[in-house]
Amino acid sequence: MLVLTRKKGERVMIGDDIVVTVIDVRGDGVRIGFDAPRGVSIQRAEVVSAVTDANTDAAAAGAQTADLLVGLLNRARKPDVAAAPAEAAAPETPGDAPAPTPPPPRRSPGPAPKPKPAAPRG
């Protein structure tokens, strides 16, 4: 590992196309800037470590967890018949005909089309 001492505004070159600049120094923190080509990935080590750990944990999840998730998704897609109100589940008596459902509201036809201007005579 190369260890350098730099002051605010000083730079370090990595290869020919990466520049690291010391932006600010405050207490025990240092702000640095990186100038690199778009194809160069610059990541904080703690973020890469956290993502790697999360991916490892997700890959280690057993088949039982996958089955549980599939079951939850299937229940979310289908309405639960058992959760319907008791009144709706009660059998109808012959004299109690259900009220007719009203027709859907009609949509307004919108504004009348504007007449086309007459062609000039000439």
Side-chain angles (χ1 to χ4, degrees), residues 2 4-6 9-15 17-22 33-35:
L2 174 64
L4 299 173
T5 301
R6 301 275 77 196
E10 293 182 328
R11 299 176 177 189
V12 174
M13 297 288 299
I14 300 175
D17 53 0
I18 299 175
V19 179
V20 180
T21 305
V22 177
F34 299 90
D35 187 17

Side-chain angles (χ1 to χ4, degrees), residues 69-84:
L69 290 174
V70 168
L72 290 173
L73 287 172
N74 287 336
R75 278 197 315 186
R77 289 185 189 147
K78 298 176 186 173
D80 191 6
V81 177

Side-chain angles (χ1 to χ4, degrees), residues 25-121:
V25 179
R26 289 186 187 170
D28 62 347
V30 178
R31 293 183 68 213
I32 54 177
F34 299 90
D35 187 17
R38 286 196 182 274
V40 176
S41 176
I42 301 173
Q43 301 291 329
R44 297 185 330 202
E46 65 272 16
V47 172
V48 172
S49 177
V51 169
T52 302
D53 292 345
N55 286 341
T56 302
D57 292 345
Q64 184 179 10
T65 304
D67 291 341
L68 174 65
L69 290 174
V70 168
L72 290 173
L73 287 172
N74 287 336
R75 278 197 315 186
R77 289 185 189 147
K78 298 176 186 173
D80 191 6
V81 177
E87 302 152 1
E92 294 182 29
T93 58
D96 294 337
T101 57
R106 292 184 176 220
R107 293 181 60 185
S108 167
K114 295 182 180 179
K116 293 183 181 179
R121 294 184 186 179

